[in-house]
Structures are given as structure tokens and as C-alpha cells.
């Protein structure tokens, strides 16, 4: 019994142990003694250029590569390989150009839109294998867009898509089509409703592809990145409500959010407005409150619409590593609370204040105490920005002053301060203490007269920092005669004219910019 | 210590601790199945592996013994990004373990590791095969694996045309 069972593998080993040269040459080579599926597994672990080479080895290997190996491809119909690509087993696909119509399966059947759906040609040989689909172009026809996603969405792990107007408003089959992305972990969409040419009225919102994609919760979604370019308050409100509802539905899994909203024209910049009531009603605030396990969040929302809701999401977090926002007025209480809540984990902080005025009333708003960052022991990058001053007519804007700069945590590598007044003496202390590990420093509009900003003594200190490889200072402070002499000495050393108002130094090795993507798994 | 008898295709029995055996996904399932079907909870499970002969089974168990304190790697590696995680765990011990083996034994080990669901062992053995492919020319690969080209007529030229999508991208 045991003998019989063992026969197969014993036989193999006898063959291989045979010492005779003659027999060895006619015996099966060891690599061919394992099932072709197992060879397929081994082959599929190799990088693509190595796999493709194996097709030249022999007929068996060629067919095994074709049957078991999966590829990453670029889809570009301007290249002559489209047909070959459609025959491959594809796990990752990036689309560059895909406009030409594919042959439809059954011409006679096409009578209405539903028939078109039913007779859509298949493009991919094995749509269920596709894990990552990136459509990073508007050079794709709506039909081809649907052909790509209709059979693949269920198994996709990663989906990136640009949705320009012609794709967004494509409404081939309104209610019959369901797109379910049950296995998706990363979703990145970029939407633009800004037409190149004027269009006849806006599309019905609920029929838009964007809505279709977000219609069902995605059970495994960890990362959501949306970039919205739209026109008018109504659209901003609708899109915001849609995204917030979607985030609420993902509260159990979502860890990374990137929300980037820009409105096309003329919206007041210093006025916070809520969403429309009808849009507010659609948001499940109870679930939204449960979104509290974010690792990174980027909220750039220049429209100032619905930013109170986003602030609340920020305020719920306790373990943020990455935070970039322009919706929080820098020196206010909520902002400080968010930093304190996450001080054990934060690595990257970038805040640009969107709107709120510091004119007059509140004395606190004129000073921003940097010591709030003191206990952020992991902090590597800090950007403090007061965008609002740029957006306002001169005279109306008042700069706030940064204080206690020396209390920054000492491992900061990148520091950027824009539109805050900074005392020269504080800068000197900073560069002698905490700032010694700086690799990158940007100071924009931090004062150019009196006791503020970068004078000769300060610049001298900056360029002698051990690890510094990127410096950008604008403007410099020439107001004291002896400081001016020092500044001009440095400027001429680096090839600038005398009294040049800004200083920039960039070493070749400058390659340490941290971004949202660095925090993704 | 709870033990389990693992019997090879050619009838050799190996007595190993259940803790060790359970580091193989397949043996773990078998032991649990045995548990459920046996009335006596003290009974010693006996598992026959009809596809693996003694010499190979010994090697697998030896490898498991050496790596008994490693974290167990998830079996369904392809779900994530399969490549790259084989980098870890290739110790000097592993290299010495594989060094004396000829390709025939390595192939049997791959089959055994695959069948018994021992991911770490599958990784290092596959890696050994991969190392004979990576960076080599097609002729070198044929020599390394004792294979001959059996393409006829313009088949090879045809293959070259089909591969253009990848080579030129």
C-alpha cells in the first residue's frame, strides 16, 4: 500500500540519482519534473523583464508563462501592441490613450442603450485578475472607460481615475448599472466639471459616473484621495456632501484621506459657508463621528464651504502621522488641540490658514506660540503658512508673530514659515539649538526690517548648519548697516548681486520631500 | 508534549511535536481534523503524506525545526504584492542547508513545501531557482536547467514580436 503510494516520487528520485551520463541526458530535467502550475508560481515571482525572457526558452515554458504569469501594462493605442496586451493576464494597468472603439460583439442586437451594455466587447482576457487600474488621462472614450471597469471593479485593490467632463457626464445606462468595488483598498479620483467649451446645462447629478463609483460602501477601503475642480457653490456643496457621506460609510476601515477642492471662479475667500441644507441632510453624522483612526489627512479646500465639518473630523483624531490642511486658522484653539491630541505620532504638519482674519478683535490671534509643537517628538517636517495675507488687498492684512520658536522639537528636518513675522533673535536661538538638524529651510515674508527676519548674522548661521541642503529666504533684512555688509559678503560669495532681496541655495542631493503618499501602506 | 506521527510515502515514520508540525499549514489542518474525528483526546494523530518520500520529508522537518521560532508568514502572499518579501529570512543556515542539494532535490522540496504549506521554505527554494534565471541570457538559462530549444520555423521570431510590448515599454 505504502509502496504503491510512494511510487511516483521514488521513481523521480531514482532517475535523478542515476549516475550514467547517457540516461541523464534522456531523463527529464529536474525543473520539468514538477507540475507546470508550480513552475508558473515560481516564474510569476520574478520581475516582468525576467518573465518575458522565459518565453524564449522552450515551448513548454512559453505556454506556462502565458498561462500563469501576470503582468503590469501600459495601455496606449498609439503603440502597435494593443492586441497583444489584451491577451495577457494583467494584474496592473495604466491607461495612457484609449479612444478607439472596440468591435462590438453582436451588431444586430443593438437597439437601445441597454443592449449596448449587454454587448459591450471584452478587452481584458482575465478581468478578474486585475488588481490595480490607473486611468491617468482624459484620452479615453466613455465606452472604453466602462469596458475597463465593468468587469474589473469587483476585484480591484487600487483604482485611480481622472474623470473629465465627458466621462463624468456619460450616461449610457442610468439605473441598471451597479459598480461594486468590494475589494478596493485605495481609491484616487480626480473630477473636473470645468468644461473647455460651454455645455448645455449641468448633468443630472445622480447619473454621473462619480456618483456611481461611490454609490456602495467599499468594505476594505483604507485610502481615499479626491481632487475636485468645479464651478459654483451648488456643485461644491453637492460634491462635499457626497464625499463626506462616502467617508462616513467607510468609517470602519478608512485610514488615509486626501481631499482637495478648488472652485473655478469668484467665491468670496474670507467667508465660511455651510453646505446647502439639502446636502447636509444626506450626511450620516453619527457615522462620520466614528472616523477616528486616521493616520494621514490632507484637506485642502480653498472654497471655505463645509470646512466646519472637516475641522470636526480633524478634531476626532488621536493618532495622526501626517496632517496637511489649509482650513484651520493657525493661531486658534481648535488647531492647538488637534496638535496636542496627536503629538505622540505626528511626523509631518503643514498648515496654511485659509481665511480667518486676525484684524483687531482677538489679541491672541496676533501671536502664535510654537511651543504647542514642543512634545511632537517624531516631527520631521513643519510648514506654517498664512495664505490669507496673500489673498487680501495690502493694508487689510496684518501679520501675526511667531513666538517661542526655539521650543521646536529638535529632530525637525524641514521647516517652512510663510507670512509670519519672526524675530531675528529667535531665529538665532533656533539655529543654535533645536534647528541644528535642519536639511531644508524656507522663510517667506518673515520680516525685512527692524528686529524681524533674516539679517546677515542669521544668514551666516543658516548656511553653516551641518546638514542644510535647501535654503530659500525672501526677503532679506538689510536695515542695519553692519548686517547689510555681512549679507552682501554672503550674497556675492554665492554669485548674487549686492543688495539682492532674496537668497536661495539648493544642493544637488536635495531629495527628502515628504508627501502624503509616503504615509500610505 | 503532544506528538504526531508523520509518515512518508515510502513508509518512514517521523515522530514530531504537534507544535512543530503545526507550523505547516497542511499538517495543522490534518491534526485539527484528527482531533474532531477522534473520541480520545489523548490519542496520537497519525498523518500519511503520500506524495513526499522520507528523504524530502526529513529535510522539511529539519527546516521547520531550525525555524520553529520564526513568525509564521501568511500563505496567500499573492493577494498583496508577492514579490520582495522573500528577501527576509534567508539566513546563513538556510544557505548551508540548500548548498549541497542538486536541482532535483530542490524541486522535490518546492513541491513538498507547496503541498505542506510551509511558506518560508517555499520562498527560499523558489528563490534558489529564481537566482538561476535573474540576469541570465536565454542560453544560460537553458544550460542551467538542462533544457533545449524546441521552437520550430519562425516560432522564436514570432515570440520576439509578441514580447515587444514589454521590451519597448
Amino acid at each position: 500500500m505504502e509502496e504503491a503510494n510512494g511510487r511516483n516520487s521514488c521513481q523521480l528520485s531514482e532517475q535523478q540519482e542515476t549516475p550514467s551520463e547517457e540516461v541523464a541526458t534522456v531523463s527529464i530535467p529536474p525543473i520539468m519534473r514538477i507540475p507546470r502550475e508550480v513552475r508558473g508560481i515560481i516564474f510569476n515571482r520574478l520581475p516582468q523583464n525576467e518573465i518575458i525572457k522565459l518565453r524564449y526558452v522552450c515551448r513548454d515554458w512559453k505556454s506556462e508563462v502565458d498561462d500563469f504569469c501576470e503582468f503590469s501594462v501600459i495601455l496606449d493605442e498609439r503603440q502597435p501592441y494593443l492586441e497583444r496586451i489584451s491577451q495577457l493576464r494583467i494584474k496592473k494597468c495604466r491607461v495612457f490613450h484609449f479612444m478607439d472603439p472596440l468591435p462590438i460583439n453582436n451588431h444586430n442586437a443593438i437597439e437601445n442603450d441597454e443592449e449596448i451594455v449587454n454587448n459591450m466587447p471584452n478587452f481584458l482576457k482575465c478581468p478578474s485578475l486585475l488588481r490595480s487600474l490607473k486611468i491617468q488621462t482624459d484620452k479615453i472614450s466613455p465606452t472604453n472607460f466602462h469596458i475597463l471597469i465593468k468587469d474589473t471593479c469587483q476585484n480591484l485593490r487600487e483604482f485611480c481615475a481622472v474623470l473629465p467632463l465627458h466621462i463624468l457626464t456619460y450616461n449610457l445606462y442610468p439605473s441598471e448599472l451597479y459598480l461594486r468595488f468590494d475589494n478596493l483598498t485605495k481609491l484616487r479620483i480626480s473630477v473636473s466639471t470645468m468644461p473647455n467649451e460651454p455645455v448645455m446645462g449641468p448633468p443630472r447629478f445622480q447619473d454621473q459616473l462619480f456618483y456611481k463609483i461611490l454609490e456602495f460602501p467599499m468594505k476594505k477601503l483604507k485610502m481615499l484621495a479626491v481632487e475636485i475642480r468645479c464651478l459654483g457653490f451648488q456643485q461644491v456643496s453637492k460634491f462635499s456632501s457626497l464625499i463626506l457621506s462616502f467617508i462616513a460609510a467607510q468609517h470602519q476601515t478608512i485610514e488615509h484621506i486626501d481631499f482637495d477642492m478648488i472652485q473655478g471662479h469668484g467665491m468670496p475667500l474670507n467667508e465660511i459657508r455651510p453646505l446647502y441644507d439639502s446636502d447636509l441632510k444626506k450626511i450620516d453624522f453619527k457615522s462620520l463621528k466614528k472616523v477616528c483612526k486616521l493616520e494621514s489627512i490632507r484637506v485642502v479646500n480653498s472654497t471655505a464651504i463645509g470646512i466646519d465639518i472637516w475641522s470636526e473630523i480633524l478634531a476626532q483624531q488621536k493618532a495622526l502621522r501626517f496632517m496637511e490642511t489649509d482650513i484651520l486658522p493657525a493661531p486658534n484653539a481648535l488647531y492647538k488641540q488637534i496638535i496636542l491630541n496627536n503629538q505622540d505620532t505626528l511626523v509631518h504638519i503643514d498648515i496654511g490658514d485659509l481665511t480667518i482674519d486676525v484684524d483687531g478683535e482677538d489679541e491672541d490671534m496676533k501671536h502664535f506660540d510654537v511651543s504647542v509643537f514642543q512634545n511632537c517628538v517624531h516631527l520631521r517636517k513643519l510648514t506654517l503658512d498664512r495664505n490669507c495675507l496673500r489673498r487680501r488687498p495690502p493694508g487689510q492684512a496684518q501679520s501675526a508673530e511667531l513666538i517661542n520658536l526655539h521650543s521646536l522639537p529638535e529632530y525637525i528636518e524641514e521647516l517652512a514659515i510663510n507670512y509670519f513675522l519672526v524675530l531675528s533673535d529667535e531665529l538665532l536661538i533656533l539655529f543654535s539649538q533645536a534647528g541644528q538638524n535642519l536639511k531644508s529651510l524656507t522663510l517667506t515674508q518673515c520680516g525685512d526690517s527692524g528686529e524681524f527676519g533674516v539679517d546677515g548674522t542669521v544668514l551666516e548661521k543658516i548656511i553653516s548648519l551641518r546638514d542644510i541642503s535647501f535654503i530659500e529666504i525672501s526677503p532679506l533684512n538689510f536695515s542695519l548697516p553692519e548686517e547689510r555688509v555681512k549679507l552682501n559678503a554672503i550674497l556675492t560669495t554665492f554669485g548674487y548681486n549686492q543688495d539682492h532681496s532674496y537668497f536661495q541655495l539648493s544642493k544637488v542631493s536635495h531629495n527628502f520631500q515628504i508627501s502624503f503618499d509616503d504615509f500610505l501602506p | 508534549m503532544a506528538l504526531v506521527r508523520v509518515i512518508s510515502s515510502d513508509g518512514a515514520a517521523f515522530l514530531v511535536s504537534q507544535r512543530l508540525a503545526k507550523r505547516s499549514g497542511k499538517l495543522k489542518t490534518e491534526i485539527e481534523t484528527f482531533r474532531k474525528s477522534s473520541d480520545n483526546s489523548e490519542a496520537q494523530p497519525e498523518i500519511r503524506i503520500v506524495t513526499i518520500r522520507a528523504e524530502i520529508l526529513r529535510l522539511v522537518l529539519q527546516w521547520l525545526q531550525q525555524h520553529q521560532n520564526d513568525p509564521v508568514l501568511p500563505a496567500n502572499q499573492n493577494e498583496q504584492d508577492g514579490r520582495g518579501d522573500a528577501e527576509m529570512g534567508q539566513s546563513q543556515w538556510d544557505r548551508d542547508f540548500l548548498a549541497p542539494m542538486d536541482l532535483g532535490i530542490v524541486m522535490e522540496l518546492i513541491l513538498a513545501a507547496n503541498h505542506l504549506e510551509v511558506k518560508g521554505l517555499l520562498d527560499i527554494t523558489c528563490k534558489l531557482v529564481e537566482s538561476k534565471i535573474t540576469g541570465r541570457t536565454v542560453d544560460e538559462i537553458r544550460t542551467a536547467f538542462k533544457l533545449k530549444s524546441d521552437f520550430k520555423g519562425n516560432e522564436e521570431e514570432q515570440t520576439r514580436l509578441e514580447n515587444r510590448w514589454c521590451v519597448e515599454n
Side-chain angles (χ1 to χ4, degrees):
Chain A
M1 175 69 188
E2 276 157 24
E3 278 292 284
N5 282 336
R7 227 182 125 73
N8 218 359
S9 54
C10 281
Q11 226 176 11
L12 289 178
S13 74
E14 274 158 25
Q15 268 180 2
Q16 159 260 312
E17 278 160 12
T18 311
S20 154
E21 266 298 302
E22 259 175 282
V23 184
T25 49
V26 293
S27 73
I28 309 164
I31 187 97
M32 300 309 282
R33 291 178 201 161
I34 58 175
R36 60 196 299 271
E37 305 84 60
V38 180
R39 255 190 317 281
I41 295 173
I42 300 174
F43 293 167
N44 201 27
R45 294 160 52 104
L46 289 158
Q48 193 145 313
N49 56 336
E50 301 285 347
I51 298 179
I52 209 79
K53 200 169 68 184
L54 301 178
R55 299 180 81 241
Y56 300 131
V57 172
C58 60
R59 285 176 152 183
D60 283 340
W61 282 32
K62 179 177 168 177
S63 71
E64 286 155 17
V65 165
D66 291 343
D67 289 348
F68 302 112
C69 292
E70 296 165 17
F71 296 96
S72 305
V73 302
I74 290 170
L75 195 53
D76 187 340
E77 65 199 349
R78 295 166 299 180
Q79 304 288 344
Y81 327 118
L82 203 65
E83 199 186 328
R84 175 65 195 151
I85 282 175
S86 73
Q87 291 158 11
L88 296 169
R89 297 160 61 86
I90 299 176
K91 60 175 177 184
K92 289 185 182 174
C93 179
R94 282 194 290 156
V95 183
F96 283 4
H97 208 287
F98 194 30
M99 296 290 278
D100 291 344
L102 296 169
I104 287 182
N105 291 343
N106 182 356
H107 276 280
N108 300 331
I110 316 290
E111 281 170 4
N112 54 42
D113 287 353
E114 278 166 55
E115 291 302 324
I116 295 182
V117 180
N118 294 333
N119 289 281
M120 258 194 193
N122 287 317
F123 177 70
L124 299 173
K125 187 180 163 200
C126 308
S128 63
L129 286 179
L130 196 67
R131 294 289 176 267
S132 165
L133 176 61
K134 296 183 178 175
I135 302 172
Q136 291 155 313
T137 174
D138 57 0
K139 296 285 183 294
I140 179 167
S141 73
T143 321
N144 287 352
F145 192 101
H146 279 260
I147 285 170
L148 281 180
I149 60 172
K150 77 179 164 95
D151 295 327
T152 62
C153 60
Q154 184 68 44
N155 283 305
L156 280 179
R157 305 295 192 268
E158 184 177 19
F159 179 47
C160 292
V162 175
L163 301 174
L165 200 60
H166 74 281
I167 298 286
L168 192 69
T169 57
Y170 174 70
N171 181 15
L172 186 57
Y173 24 72
S175 49
E176 293 80 3
L177 176 84
Y178 297 108
L179 292 172
R180 306 212 54 148
F181 293 85
D182 286 338
N183 287 294
L184 206 65
T185 59
K186 291 185 188 175
L187 174 62
R188 192 183 282 275
I189 19 184
S190 174
V191 183
S192 174
T193 67
M194 293 190 208
N196 294 326
E197 295 155 24
V199 284
M200 301 297 289
R204 275 207 350 233
F205 194 72
Q206 63 273 26
D207 293 342
Q208 289 178 8
L209 183 61
F210 189 45
Y211 179 86
K212 289 271 182 214
I213 291 172
L214 302 181
E215 190 172 2
F216 296 101
M218 302 177 189
K219 292 168 203 155
K220 296 180 180 167
L221 197 75
K222 285 187 188 298
M223 192 277 276
L224 171 70
V226 272
E227 190 184 72
I228 301 171
R229 303 286 176 265
C230 60
L231 292 168
F233 181 39
Q234 194 176 347
Q235 282 196 350
V236 174
S237 175
K238 272 199 158 52
F239 277 126
S240 298
S241 149
L242 180 62
I243 295 299
L244 287 163
S245 310
F246 181 73
I247 291 173
Q250 313 304 321
H251 68 267
Q252 283 175 322
T253 54
I254 194 91
E255 289 171 2
H256 308 272
I257 297 174
D258 183 349
F259 177 79
D260 188 332
M261 165 79 87
I262 289 183
Q263 199 274 136
H265 62 72
M267 198 169 282
L269 286 165
N270 52 357
E271 186 185 343
I272 299 174
R273 297 174 74 167
L275 304 185
Y276 272 131
D277 280 346
S278 57
D279 293 326
L280 272 178
K281 264 186 230 150
K282 292 179 193 147
I283 304 172
D284 172 6
F285 281 96
K286 220 168 137 190
S287 294
L288 203 58
K289 270 232 158 315
K290 293 180 192 155
V291 178
C292 57
K293 278 175 248 152
L294 294 181
E295 242 181 74
S296 41
I297 185 162
R298 182 170 172 271
V299 184
V300 181
N301 182 355
S302 74
T303 68
I305 292 165
I307 61 171
D308 47 337
I309 308 175
W310 287 103
S311 306
E312 244 169 79
I313 295 177
L314 276 162
Q316 284 158 218
Q317 306 312 319
K318 298 269 187 276
L320 281 178
R321 297 176 66 222
F322 175 103
M323 166 176 149
E324 182 179 335
T325 160
D326 68 354
I327 62 167
L328 290 169
N332 82 359
L334 177 65
Y335 163 65
K336 283 179 189 166
Q337 194 53 51
I338 293 167
I339 301 298
L340 292 177
N341 285 348
N342 297 279
Q343 63 181 11
D344 293 338
T345 48
L346 275 167
V347 177
H348 174 130
I349 302 172
D350 182 334
I351 51 148
D353 134 26
L354 172 71
T355 48
I356 328 297
D357 36 5
V358 292
D359 301 348
E361 291 156 35
D362 190 350
E363 214 25 56
D364 273 354
M365 299 288 265
K366 289 189 175 168
H367 295 287
F368 181 51
D369 189 346
V370 177
S371 62
V372 66
F373 301 107
Q374 200 158 19
N375 295 319
C376 295
V377 286
H378 299 291
L379 195 61
R380 291 288 176 278
K381 177 170 178 176
L382 176 65
T383 302
L384 297 172
D385 206 321
R386 289 181 55 74
N387 282 324
C388 68
L389 298 189
R390 250 177 276 178
R391 296 189 177 127
R392 291 196 181 186
Q396 271 187 36
Q398 251 185 353
S399 201
E401 192 179 325
L402 276 193
I403 54 172
N404 286 327
L405 205 55
H406 57 276
S407 64
L408 286 177
E410 62 181 313
Y411 290 110
I412 285 201
E413 289 170 2
E414 289 183 64
L415 178 66
I417 297 171
N418 304 324
Y419 296 85
F420 278 102
L421 281 175
V422 185
L423 281 168
S424 310
D425 285 348
E426 288 238 5
L427 283 171
L428 274 183
I429 301 171
L430 172 72
F431 299 130
S432 322
Q433 296 174 1
Q436 286 195 58
N437 296 300
L438 281 174
K439 291 179 180 169
S440 165
L441 175 72
T442 307
L443 299 170
T444 311
Q445 301 295 338
C446 294
D448 60 356
S449 60
E451 52 190 344
F452 293 105
V454 176
D455 57 21
T457 314
V458 177
L459 189 59
E460 208 171 52
K461 197 88 193 171
I462 295 171
I463 56 176
S464 64
L465 287 172
R466 193 187 55 228
D467 298 328
I468 198 89
S469 56
F470 179 83
I471 304 171
E472 190 177 337
I473 317 264
S474 170
L476 298 162
N477 180 348
F478 288 93
S479 58
L480 289 175
E482 65 270 28
E483 294 297 336
R484 183 175 164 197
V485 172
K486 270 190 188 174
L487 275 178
N488 280 332
I490 297 169
L491 283 170
T492 45
T493 309
F494 285 92
Y496 286 99
N497 293 332
Q498 299 246 329
D499 295 335
H500 199 268
S501 67
Y502 79 90
F503 179 83
Q504 194 183 36
L505 173 70
S506 180
K507 290 185 187 166
V508 191
S509 63
H510 175 60
N511 185 26
F512 45 84
Q513 290 274 345
I514 310 176
S515 77
F516 181 80
D517 288 353
D518 297 330
F519 290 81
L520 301 178
Chain B
M1 183 170 58
L3 298 173
V4 54
R5 262 165 78 88
V6 186
I7 298 167
S8 70
S9 61
D10 42 355
F14 296 85
L15 205 57
V16 293
S17 80
Q18 290 193 14
R19 181 179 165 271
L20 187 72
K22 280 181 176 171
R23 297 186 65 84
S24 142
K26 168 83 174 164
L27 293 180
K28 186 170 185 239
T29 322
E30 294 278 340
I31 291 169
E32 281 157 9
T33 317
F34 180 87
R35 268 284 139 65
K36 275 176 207 146
S37 60
S38 165
D39 306 329
N40 179 3
S41 63
E42 298 293 300
Q44 191 180 81
E46 193 173 282
I47 299 165
R48 280 167 191 275
I49 309 291
V50 295
T51 56
I52 304 174
R53 62 194 180 96
E55 184 189 347
I56 302 300
L57 189 56
R58 179 178 290 114
L59 288 171
V60 176
L61 294 171
Q62 199 185 343
W63 189 89
L64 280 174
Q65 178 98 38
Q66 175 66 26
H67 291 271
Q68 58 181 319
N69 295 321
D70 294 2
V72 177
L73 301 168
N76 55 343
Q77 51 134 19
N78 271 346
E79 283 298 294
Q80 303 301 316
D81 197 0
R83 287 169 198 152
D85 59 354
E87 303 291 325
M88 51 178 286
Q90 176 84 307
S91 63
Q92 185 58 45
W93 190 92
D94 286 341
R95 279 190 288 274
D96 295 345
F97 175 73
L98 294 173
M101 294 178 196
D102 66 35
L103 206 52
I105 298 285
V106 173
M107 289 301 148
E108 281 190 77
L109 261 183
I110 288 178
L111 278 183
N114 189 45
H115 179 71
L116 294 176
E117 298 162 41
V118 183
K119 171 133 189 323
L121 181 59
L122 186 63
D123 276 345
I124 62 159
T125 44
C126 286
K127 196 97 181 150
L128 191 77
V129 177
E130 286 166 33
S131 71
K132 293 182 192 300
I133 293 173
T134 312
R136 308 272 181 107
T137 65
V138 174
D139 277 334
E140 286 167 340
I141 294 170
R142 286 194 195 119
T143 312
F145 294 105
K146 299 191 172 67
L147 296 165
K148 288 205 177 81
S149 168
D150 54 356
F151 289 114
K152 298 203 176 73
N154 66 344
E155 260 183 287
E156 197 164 341
E157 179 55 31
Q158 193 60 41
T159 308
R160 223 163 275 282
L161 285 176
E162 286 174 3
N163 274 4
R164 275 173 65 208
W165 72 268
C166 181
V167 178
E168 292 177 20
N169 254 326

